[in-house]
Amino acid sequence: MSFLVEDNPARRRFEILVDDALAGFAAYVPRGEVLVFTHTEVESRFRDMGVGSALIRAALDQVRERGGRIVSECPFMTAFIERHPEYASLVTVA
């Protein structure tokens, strides 16, 4: 199984493809250099396979590479960051 995570600015979300099928997304609202993540969704057939975590990790890595910051209004992303404090430095207040 191969994962590919890409930013889709036109739809304001990071999307994860699993073996070329859209498996989920993390939606955001841009506010300057800050992305406010509002919702993460994984298709039911891809749940419990690590797809959501792979999506969040790749999205946060891409934000870090760009020098951006995030606000997490998404409970899944917030829980991920709490479990992976190496991403805490990306979080800012709205």
Side-chain angles (χ1 to χ4, degrees):
M1 184 166 40
S2 66
F3 297 130
L4 174 65
V5 176
E6 295 181 314
D7 187 8
N8 183 339
R11 300 194 73 180
R12 294 184 173 177
R13 66 190 197 176
F14 283 85
E15 299 173 337
I16 187 166
L17 303 174
V18 176
D19 297 331
D20 298 323
L22 181 63
F25 63 88
Y28 62 80
V29 177
R31 291 197 186 132
E33 294 298 309
V34 175
L35 296 182
V36 180
F37 283 88
T38 58
H39 178 68
T40 301
E41 190 170 311
V42 174
E43 295 291 326
S44 59
R45 67 187 173 131
F46 294 107
R47 290 191 185 138
D48 301 319
M49 298 169 61
V51 171
S53 292
L55 167 61
I56 297 302
R57 182 180 305 280
L60 292 173
D61 286 343
Q62 290 180 42
V63 170
R64 177 180 280 151
E65 288 171 14
R66 297 179 198 162
R69 302 292 296 275
I70 68 115
V71 171
S72 180
E73 294 178 355
C74 168
F76 184 83
M77 178 175 275
T78 299
F80 180 90
I81 293 168
E82 287 172 359
R83 287 190 314 275
H84 299 89
E86 64 269 25
Y87 293 104
S89 63
L90 294 176
V91 179
T92 189
V93 291

